[in-house]
Amino acid sequence: MGKVDAGTIAAPFREEVRSKVADLKKKGIMAPLLVGILANNDPAARKYAEWTGRACQKDGIRYDLRVVEDPIDVEATLLDANDDPRVHGIIVYYPIFGQVESFSGASQDDYLRDTVSLRCDVEGLCHTYRTNLYRNIRHVDPPRNEHKCIIPCTALSVVKILEACPGCYDPALPVGRKLEGKVVTIINRSEIVGRPLAAMLANDGAAVYSVDVDSVYRFEGGRLHRCDGGDSPEACVRRSSIVVTGVPVKSYQLNAEWVRPHSTVVNVSSFKNVDEEALLAVPGVNYVPMVGKVTVAMLERNLLRLFENYHHPDSTPYRGDGGGAAPSDKAPWYGSTLQLYTAAAVTVFGAITLLRGAKK
């Protein structure tokens, strides 16, 4: 395939979104509303917000970008969106606080991720979805398993790209084993991309090396292992048939000489993490230089899943984040409210009769 255009991979997902939105409108149901919260001047975040707005407009989804001048006000803006029944999805464009000291300490951005209601979390980054992903729990309502979890958009986009690239996923194998025998290296361990992607690919059967600035870990067989000094980034890449780069700095460059022939390389960074000319000289390599278009398609797809799970007028939503227990498979013993009241009245009348008899 050589250089792969992510737009061609995104196209069928975008078409599916447009079809579902059109079906809603035919039934007199307004299109889902996605709220974006932007509180920084990061070029990549602003570009992502622009792409999101254009895609939503084209695909019939309502989109409201809320620009917050002072980052300290983001939490209040986020809570307002959480509590607004007209809002069906929320995306916060990070980083907001990053490494800057804040009232909540160095993890303020993580705190904001966990503040997004699971009913509105199109990014799939809140505590419930992250925890389920790392435990390989694919539904939020066991044992019924009617509502699938939301998966982080960028990580999910990489999975869809790998499914489209030859030699990666094996469709003949069962779920949980479609990457069996594959070795993957991910050069990024952020909560947004690297960690969830490593978990997803390991859940699909791959042996995954997670490379960060000062350490290498291996996800395999549902377990996490810390690698010793022999597992350098170079050694990991040379073993891998799939390499994902996501280093958010301009100066980083993956050495193309490490890449095996007939491998697939996916770049999720806003910077080019590899010399394209040198990489494409490797025999049989597949290279995806950008994933943004597929990420936006997954964002829209997640929004529609949230709408179907929690907001559709005809749905029976799982109330899983403080709103009560998941609906039970067992029907109540009473057939109707009238029957319940009748049974209660008979019970009370019987108790009074017994008490009167005892007094005599």
Side-chain angles (χ1 to χ4, degrees):
M1 293 179 72
K3 188 174 179 179
V4 179
D5 178 12
T8 60
I9 298 173
F13 295 108
R14 295 276 301 277
E15 182 57 39
E16 179 187 8
V17 167
R18 286 192 286 269
S19 176
K20 288 186 175 182
V21 171
D23 287 343
L24 289 174
K25 292 180 179 178
K26 287 178 183 177
K27 297 175 182 177
I29 301 171
M30 293 183 69
L33 172 61
L34 174 64
V35 167
I37 300 176
L38 181 66
N40 63 57
N41 293 314
D42 180 73
R46 289 187 171 269
K47 180 63 69 176
Y48 189 14
E50 291 174 10
W51 285 348
T52 307
R54 287 200 299 266
C56 287
Q57 182 179 18
K58 186 173 181 180
D59 295 340
I61 292 171
R62 294 181 295 147
Y63 177 68
D64 179 13
L65 180 62
R66 301 177 183 179
V67 179
V68 182
E69 297 299 330
D70 190 338
I72 202 69
D73 295 327
V74 169
E75 183 179 358
T77 303
L78 176 53
L79 292 174
D80 285 344
N82 271 344
D83 295 337
D84 188 343
R86 298 168 298 179
V87 175
H88 308 118
I90 299 170
I91 176 171
V92 181
Y93 295 101
Y94 300 102
I96 294 176
F97 291 90
Q99 302 303 315
V100 177
E101 185 177 351
S102 67
F103 177 77
S104 298
S107 60
Q108 177 74 351
D109 280 2
D110 288 337
Y111 169 75
L112 291 173
R113 290 184 190 102
D114 288 337
T115 302
V116 181
S117 166
L118 67 82
R119 295 184 182 91
C120 296
D121 184 11
V122 292
E123 296 180 280
L125 295 173
C126 71
H127 176 76
T128 299
Y129 292 136
R130 289 202 321 271
T131 303
N132 284 355
L133 175 61
Y134 296 141
R135 295 169 61 195
N136 200 15
I137 298 173
R138 304 193 180 207
H139 295 81
V140 291
D141 60 339
R144 295 185 65 166
N145 296 336
E146 293 178 349
H147 299 313
K148 286 186 177 180
C149 290
I150 301 299
I151 304 298
C153 301
T154 305
L156 182 57
S157 74
V158 175
V159 171
K160 296 304 179 185
I161 287 168
L162 294 178
E163 287 178 345
C165 290
C168 296
Y169 273 78
D170 186 345
L173 293 175
V175 172
R177 294 177 53 195
K178 292 183 183 296
L179 284 177
E180 197 170 68
K182 298 293 190 300
V183 179
V184 181
T185 292
I186 303 171
I187 308 174
N188 176 292
R189 202 182 297 142
S190 70
E191 287 290 351
I192 297 176
V193 183
R195 287 194 69 208
L197 179 59
M200 290 172 70
L201 299 183
N203 289 345
D204 284 339
V208 182
Y209 289 100
S210 173
V211 178
D212 205 3
V213 176
D214 56 1
S215 61
V216 177
Y217 285 87
R218 188 175 83 256
F219 291 81
E220 187 175 14
R223 299 186 63 185
L224 177 65
H225 312 266
R226 188 181 181 97
C227 298
D228 57 28
D231 291 314
S232 65
E234 177 180 354
C236 294
V237 172
R238 288 187 180 277
R239 295 183 193 128
S240 301
S241 59
I242 299 170
V243 179
V244 180
T245 60
V247 183
V249 294
K250 191 175 183 178
S251 59
Y252 177 80
Q253 288 280 288
L254 172 70
N255 190 336
E257 294 181 357
W258 300 352
V259 178
R260 293 167 48 180
H262 307 288
S263 295
T264 297
V265 179
V266 181
N267 178 51
V268 301
S269 174
S270 55
F271 300 99
K272 289 187 176 181
N273 281 172
V274 64
D275 182 280
E276 186 174 303
E277 184 177 353
L279 180 64
L280 291 175
V282 178
V285 75
N286 296 315
Y287 174 50
V288 186
M290 299 176 67
V291 301
K293 291 180 180 179
V294 185
T295 301
V296 172
M298 295 303 104
L299 180 77
E300 293 183 328
R301 195 166 174 259
N302 280 353
L303 176 66
L304 287 175
R305 177 163 291 171
L306 286 171
F307 187 79
E308 292 166 359
N309 283 356
Y310 304 109
H311 307 287
H312 194 288
D314 298 333
S315 69
T316 304
Y318 162 56
R319 297 168 60 82
D321 60 342
S328 170
D329 283 320
K330 296 181 180 179
W333 60 267
Y334 54 88
S336 66
T337 304
L338 178 61
Q339 185 179 349
L340 175 63
Y341 287 155
T342 302
V346 170
T347 301
V348 171
F349 180 79
I352 293 173
T353 302
L354 289 172
L355 286 172
R356 285 177 177 174
K359 287 179 180 180
K360 293 179 180 178

